Amino acid sequence: MAAVKDAAWRESYASLLRDAVLAGLQEPRPHTVAAWADAMRDGAFFWVATDGTEVVGIAHATWSRDADAPMPLELAMLYVLDRVQGTGLAQALLHTAIGDADASLWVLDGNERA
């Protein structure tokens, strides 16, 4: 899952983030893996989509982390690899993660696709 997140960042944010940030995403970061493992032990859910052999998308929803959040549910992450964009996979992950609920989403300025 962390490898897909990092790959999606490299694919999606190349024009939005400094090269030094993207260069640090060559392998799944151990602190990301550890934080997600802790979250899952505490009951968090992460949804994963595969192409049959490897993970190509991930989603995670949680209670909003900001005290002034516009609603209680937050779509904390939704990433799919470039090669599966436009297939409906992101929509399926979104529906699986939040269903018909309203949710907030933090979006990087300039990320028009999101």
Side-chain angles (χ1 to χ4, degrees), residues 4 48-51 54-58 79-81 83-84 89 93:
V4 167
V48 176
T50 72
D51 65 1
E54 63 182 3
V55 176
V56 294
I58 57 173
Y79 297 109
V80 297
L81 298 179
R83 65 186 170 94
V84 295
L89 180 64
L93 280 168

Side-chain angles (χ1 to χ4, degrees), residues 19-91:
D19 290 342
V21 172
L22 296 171
L25 303 176
Q26 298 307 314
E27 294 183 18
R29 293 166 285 171
H31 68 275
T32 299
V33 174
W36 290 359
D38 287 344
M40 285 186 272
R41 278 191 289 277
D42 290 341
F45 288 91
F46 291 78
W47 289 271
V48 176
T50 72
D51 65 1
T53 59
E54 63 182 3
V55 176
V56 294
I58 57 173
H60 173 61
T62 186
W63 295 113
S64 294
R65 297 170 281 185
D66 298 323
D68 62 345
M71 53 206 54
L73 184 63
E74 176 182 339
L75 181 63
M77 100 178 58
L78 176 60
Y79 297 109
V80 297
L81 298 179
D82 277 354
R83 65 186 170 94
V84 295
Q85 286 185 2
T87 65
L89 180 64
Q91 183 64 41

